[in-house]
């Protein structure tokens, strides 16, 4: 039996991104205006060092799927529908792409991420705290 060599992280990231319609900072702000949920998956230390986006829901990466899976007993109250529009952000937009693809695997077809992450949001001059 011939097996394919394992993919590199760059290949996994590229594959994940082919499934996403990534949003820039201003597109993300517009989506929030229509009711999308922005989820910040960065660890507390990064949020403390760089700041946060007002209104973002903090869900650290290690529990993301459990908090947003509509079938999970550990889901957050707003996460009861597969139609939920979720935009994931991390610091620079790498981990968020992998996380958004994972949410799509759970059936959250509208999951995507903020291209460039928090750094792109801040560079665009959008509000931070």
């Amino acid at each position: 039996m011939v097996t394919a060599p394992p993919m590199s992280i760059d290949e996994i990231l590229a594959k994940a991104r082919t499934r996403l319609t990534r949003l820039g900072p201003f597109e993300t702000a517009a989506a929030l205006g229509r009711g999308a949920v922005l989820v910040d998956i960065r660890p507390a230390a990064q949020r403390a060092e760089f700041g946060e986006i007002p209104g973002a829901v903090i869900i650290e990466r290690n529990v993301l799927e459990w908090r947003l899976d509509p079938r999970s007993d550990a889901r957050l109250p707003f996460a009861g529908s597969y139609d939920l529009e979720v935009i994931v952000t991390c610091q620079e937009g790498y981990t968020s792409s992998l996380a958004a693809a994972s949410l799509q695997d759970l059936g959250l077809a509208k999951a995507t991420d903020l291209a460039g992450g928090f750094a792109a949001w801040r560079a665009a001059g959008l509000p931070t705290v």
Side-chain angles (χ1 to χ4, degrees):
M1 172 190 251
V2 177
T3 59
M7 289 191 287
S8 70
I9 188 57
D10 291 332
E11 292 168 323
I12 292 169
L13 179 63
K15 184 177 178 182
R17 285 181 172 169
T18 65
R19 299 165 41 193
L20 304 175
T21 302
R22 303 181 78 213
L23 302 178
F26 295 107
E27 294 169 306
T28 297
L32 297 177
R34 68 174 178 263
V37 176
L38 181 64
V39 175
D40 189 338
I41 61 170
R42 296 175 300 152
Q46 277 189 333
R47 294 190 315 271
E49 181 178 350
F50 298 105
E52 297 181 19
I53 298 171
V57 177
I58 307 303
I59 306 175
E60 291 197 16
R61 179 65 190 97
N62 63 322
V63 295
L64 180 69
E65 290 82 358
W66 286 269
R67 299 298 183 258
L68 296 181
D69 183 349
R71 294 167 292 209
S72 173
D73 291 338
R75 75 177 177 272
L76 294 172
F78 66 84
S81 170
Y82 290 101
D83 288 332
L84 183 66
E85 185 177 5
V86 178
I87 304 164
V88 183
T89 189
C90 62
Q91 186 62 31
E92 295 181 352
Y94 295 95
T95 303
S96 59
S97 293
L98 299 174
S102 179
L103 293 176
Q104 286 185 354
D105 290 342
L106 290 175
L108 297 165
K110 296 179 183 177
T112 191
D113 73 328
L114 170 57
F118 177 83
W121 178 277
R122 185 177 58 199
L126 292 166
T128 62
V129 293

